[in-house]
Amino acid sequence: AEYMGTTSLSQTHNPMAAPHIAIIDESERLTPAHADRLRGKSPERAKTPIWKKDSDNFHVAVMTAGGDCPGLNAVIRAVVTNVIAEGATCWGVMDGFLGLLENRFRRLELHDVENILHEGGTIIGSNNKIDPEHVIVGKDAHGKNITEDRTELCLERLRAHGCCALIIVGGDGTQSGALNFTRRGFPCIGVCKTIDNDVWGTDQTFGFATAVQTVVDSMDKCRTTAMSHHRALVIEVMGRNAGWIALHAGIAGAADIILIPELPFDVDVVAAAVKKRCETGRGFALISCSEGAMPAGGSQHVERVDHSSAEPIRLGGVSKWLAEQIEARSGIETRYVVLGHTQRGGSPCAEDRVLASMFGNHAMKLLREGRCGRMVVWKDGKLGDIPLEEVANKQRKVPADHFLIDVARRCGTCLGTLADAPESGSASASADASASASMSNI
């Protein structure tokens, strides 16, 4: 393949300058022989060794897709340094699946990644609205989206750049896309990331530790204003359908109440806990509330529906509703804070820098071994990898018997269930059984 006018990232660092993108003529179609040479469509080829150190035209692509998080640049750095050390070429796919559809690639050199480890975000951009299997191309007479499968076009873009493999960094939705590519015969290796920590098969994703620290820092600041005005303060955090951020940050930030999606809460129990906290000497209360938390028998609060996105539901608003309910039922002045995208931003903490670097390095180890179609994970305190089939279309939620739930309760934290009602004292056996039964139905 020919590369027309390609430049490195550092050469177009000025954000005001139009990026110079490698363009492949749309009319050019790969011959079967050429496609085969570049690891084409045969599913068997995704399972055979593809690393050839003596090849002058070996190319690897790396892409970050879905929502951004701290640590993405550490993965990119690990991949680029590994690829170049082997004498191969590394391409960055700009802005996730969107850039792949639009044929926007950028060649990455060592000087592009030598000073990015501490930076948040991703130097090659990301996008969370494109699913190659269901690309929105218009609307029908009823206003519903018309979609087309553009997977083959994406794979043709990669082959036209000579790419023999794709390192794809993202959450559960992105890994489903990686599985789609793998099933079509293109070798992919997944690297899991998300601040929500909800990717199936791994104990932790990079980005999570930094997000938790950001929330805890905000809680520490909220504590002083809540204390000064003798108020209750509901702090809404991200997490979608999983309560990992709210649970970890709630324990680390000494929240009085923690509300997570996996344990639907009773509003009266929450209000009573706030009233008790405010009337027994503390004079204030902090509530760590996941955006997906919901009252028992109710539903999650949806802020909006983005029909242009592959994942259209946008949760949010539960903290405002809950603050109103608490104040009305307890008489305690209650405010709310939505931390929002501050949790995604900023420099990654040391833990995330190390974890992301290990993930990127292990992905390249899998590539050298020809073990594609797998996702890098952190399990039981060590690096590993699992088949992409085990990850796709699943979410890792907080189990009913997770030890941190017990830790929170034994530290005096209310989790909003009937088992946490003030008059119950410590959770009774029957209340615990009721809570567990509720969890099993989620």
Side-chain angles (χ1 to χ4, degrees):
E2 287 189 29
Y3 312 111
M4 303 171 58
T6 57
T7 59
S8 68
L9 280 172
S10 60
Q11 290 172 297
T12 58
H13 186 68
N14 181 1
M16 300 303 292
H20 204 119
I21 306 302
I23 303 297
I24 303 297
D25 191 336
E26 190 68 40
S27 64
E28 293 182 10
R29 292 290 182 245
L30 301 176
T31 65
H34 189 201
D36 182 69
R37 182 172 64 83
L38 296 178
R39 304 304 178 199
K41 302 176 182 180
S42 172
E44 289 75 16
R45 288 189 174 271
K47 300 179 182 179
T48 58
I50 61 174
W51 188 269
K52 294 183 179 180
K53 292 179 64 174
D54 59 345
S55 175
D56 294 330
N57 63 347
F58 189 85
H59 299 262
V60 177
V62 61
M63 179 175 75
T64 54
D68 68 307
C69 76
L72 287 169
N73 285 328
V75 177
I76 297 170
R77 173 176 175 264
V79 170
V80 172
T81 53
N82 266 269
V83 171
I84 293 178
E86 297 286 354
T89 299
C90 189
W91 290 93
V93 181
M94 307 302 293
D95 300 328
F97 289 115
L98 176 63
L100 195 52
L101 283 172
E102 296 178 348
N103 201 32
R104 292 189 282 121
F105 289 68
R106 193 68 60 85
R107 183 166 177 164
L108 298 173
E109 304 287 357
L110 286 177
H111 55 77
D112 294 315
V113 299
E114 64 184 4
N115 195 35
I116 65 171
L117 185 63
H118 65 286
E119 293 183 4
T122 164
I123 62 169
I124 56 176
S126 190
N127 183 280
N128 61 358
K129 292 189 175 185
I130 298 296
D131 174 4
E133 285 191 284
H134 304 93
V135 177
I136 299 173
V137 296
K139 293 185 179 296
D140 62 18
H142 303 287
K144 294 184 178 181
N145 291 332
I146 300 173
T147 64
E148 291 182 0
D149 187 346
R150 297 289 178 86
T151 301
E152 287 303 321
L153 176 61
C154 290
L155 299 185
E156 183 175 309
R157 303 294 197 200
L158 289 164
R159 296 185 189 112
H161 278 79
C163 297
C164 298
L166 173 64
I167 308 296
I168 184 165
V169 191
D172 54 340
T174 299
Q175 300 310 324
S176 296
L179 176 60
N180 173 35
F181 284 10
T182 300
R183 285 174 171 169
R184 305 288 183 101
F186 195 89
C188 291
I189 296 172
V191 176
C192 61
K193 66 87 198 163
T194 173
I195 66 168
D196 301 329
N197 206 35
D198 63 349
V199 176
W200 183 267
T202 184
D203 291 338
Q204 186 165 333
T205 56
F206 69 86
F208 173 68
T210 303
V212 169
Q213 188 59 59
T214 297
V215 174
V216 172
D217 291 344
S218 298
M219 279 187 175
D220 290 344
K221 292 178 173 63
C222 289
R223 179 183 305 279
T224 58
T225 183
M227 185 185 300
S228 298
H229 291 275
H230 309 294
R231 292 171 176 155
L233 197 54
V234 184
I235 302 170
E236 183 177 323
V237 303
M238 287 182 168
R240 298 192 301 173
N241 301 311
W244 296 107
I245 294 178
L247 182 58
H248 279 252
I251 293 173
D256 301 297
I257 300 168
I258 298 174
L259 304 177
I260 61 177
E262 295 87 347
L263 293 176
F265 60 87
D266 186 292
V267 181
D268 289 324
V269 170
V270 175
V274 168
K275 187 175 180 66
K276 181 179 179 180
R277 294 302 246 179
C278 290
E279 292 180 348
T280 55
R282 288 174 60 89
F284 72 97
L286 286 183
I287 299 104
S288 175
C289 180
S290 175
E291 64 184 355
M294 56 187 167
S299 59
Q300 293 175 319
H301 281 71
V302 177
E303 181 185 29
R304 63 190 176 90
V305 178
D306 183 356
H307 294 290
S308 67
S309 175
E311 296 182 2
I313 302 300
R314 299 288 186 266
L315 298 177
V318 63
S319 59
K320 180 179 185 296
W321 174 85
L322 183 59
E324 293 171 350
Q325 295 296 315
I326 291 173
E327 185 164 331
R329 297 173 191 233
S330 69
I332 304 297
E333 184 179 3
T334 307
R335 302 290 177 87
Y336 70 95
V337 175
V338 180
L339 296 184
H341 285 77
T342 60
Q343 298 160 86
R344 292 193 183 278
S347 179
C349 65
E351 181 179 354
D352 278 337
R353 297 183 196 188
V354 173
L355 186 61
S357 297
M358 290 194 299
F359 276 15
N361 189 68
H362 191 75
M364 291 305 302
K365 178 177 181 288
L366 291 175
L367 179 58
R368 281 190 289 267
E369 295 172 353
R371 299 173 60 212
C372 297
R374 303 184 69 80
M375 185 188 77
V376 181
V377 299
W378 179 258
K379 194 72 174 177
D380 299 326
K382 60 183 179 181
L383 277 174
D385 48 86
I386 60 176
L388 285 168
E389 287 87 349
E390 293 184 14
V391 182
N393 303 313
K394 296 179 183 177
Q395 283 187 320
R396 174 179 173 266
K397 298 183 180 181
V398 180
D401 59 350
H402 196 274
F403 71 93
L404 282 182
I405 291 178
D406 182 63
V407 169
R409 281 190 168 129
R410 292 184 182 278
C411 288
T413 306
C414 172
L415 290 169
T417 70
L418 292 176
D420 302 282
E423 62 270 18
S424 301
S426 60
S428 65
S430 61
D432 278 338
S434 175
S436 296
S438 175
M439 268 296 300
S440 66
N441 294 324
I442 297 176

